[in-house]
Amino acid sequence: MTAGTMSAPRTRRRRNERERREIRAAVGFLAPDVAGLTVFLAVPMLLTFVLGFFRISGFGEYEFIGLANFRRMFGDPQFLGSLGRTAIYLGVLTPVLFVAALLLALLVKQRFPLVGLFRSAFFVPYVVSLVVVGLVWQFVLTDKVGILSRLVEPLGIAPSWLGDPTFALASVIAISVWYQMGYYMIIFLAGLQDIPREYYEAARIDGAGPWQAFRDVTWPLLKPTSFFVLLTSVIAAITGGFDLIYILTNGGPANATTVVIIYIFQQAFVFGEFGYAAAMSSFLVLAMLALSVVIFRVTQGGRFSYAD
């Protein structure tokens, strides 16, 4: 038996031992995260789905009613109306927020005096409590005595920004964009700074102008960041915004800002319809999963090729 033949099993044993150590390390790193997701996400979602099959009295009495809550949901005009308002909220907020954050990132990526101060100023609203943001904007937009109302009063216009169903949802969307655009600006800025400067220099040598450089260099290489911003902003638009809407309008006036998350809250904690609220919550989770799959498919998960 040659020395090479004897060393081959030892080499395999060392490789197998190294693979086992790597697997143990991977399990050790992933276990806390998996345990947290299971306890705080998967189990509550499963319990919520199960509660959707019960009528819950609020005094601890459970009555199994099968699919009645789910059938009621699709015949409830207020629930369907809240879905429509959520679609409008999502359809307007997401693209406006995306474009505003990207434009801000392109602006503060430039080198000019006090650029750090501008970056901080745009980001500061995001670190403020949503309750505080809501109270401040209430002070600004209140009818007749609000700052904005007083500013536009000499012009002969005095819209009720939060009290008129025509303007209420638009006002909430505008405030949401103002609040969140600094956060997504920072994410876009990180993506822009990861693009090698050599690509822009090569494009400039080839005669590309600013628009061509954005179209052929920035936009393709920003796809992973754009995908992250798009996915998280869509999920945030569907599930988030509760605090802000609750403080600003509490779903009013005339249900003009009752998006689905507000309607679920009202059914559960105002009317005590916990089973019905659980059924609507389960439907909302399934809708978000379906929408996430569509976004993954359309954007290919943000993947790109340098050959594009």
Side-chain angles (χ1 to χ4, degrees), residues 65-84:
I65 56 173
L67 295 172
N69 281 329
F70 294 92
R71 285 196 295 269
R72 174 187 171 185
M73 188 171 63
F74 293 108
D76 182 352
Q78 293 194 31
F79 173 69
L80 298 178
S82 70
L83 280 182

Side-chain angles (χ1 to χ4, degrees), residues 72-73 75-85 255 258-260 263 266-267 271 276 280:
R72 174 187 171 185
M73 188 171 63
D76 182 352
Q78 293 194 31
F79 173 69
L80 298 178
S82 70
L83 280 182
R85 283 184 287 276
N255 292 330
T258 303
V259 293
V260 69
Y263 188 64
Q266 290 173 342
Q267 290 300 313
F271 303 111
Y276 185 42
M280 290 188 289

Side-chain angles (χ1 to χ4, degrees), residues 227 230-231 234 290-302:
F227 165 73
L230 180 63
L231 185 63
V234 165
L291 192 55
S292 299
V293 170
V294 171
I295 292 174
F296 264 99
R297 288 291 182 88
V298 171
T299 64
Q300 298 180 335

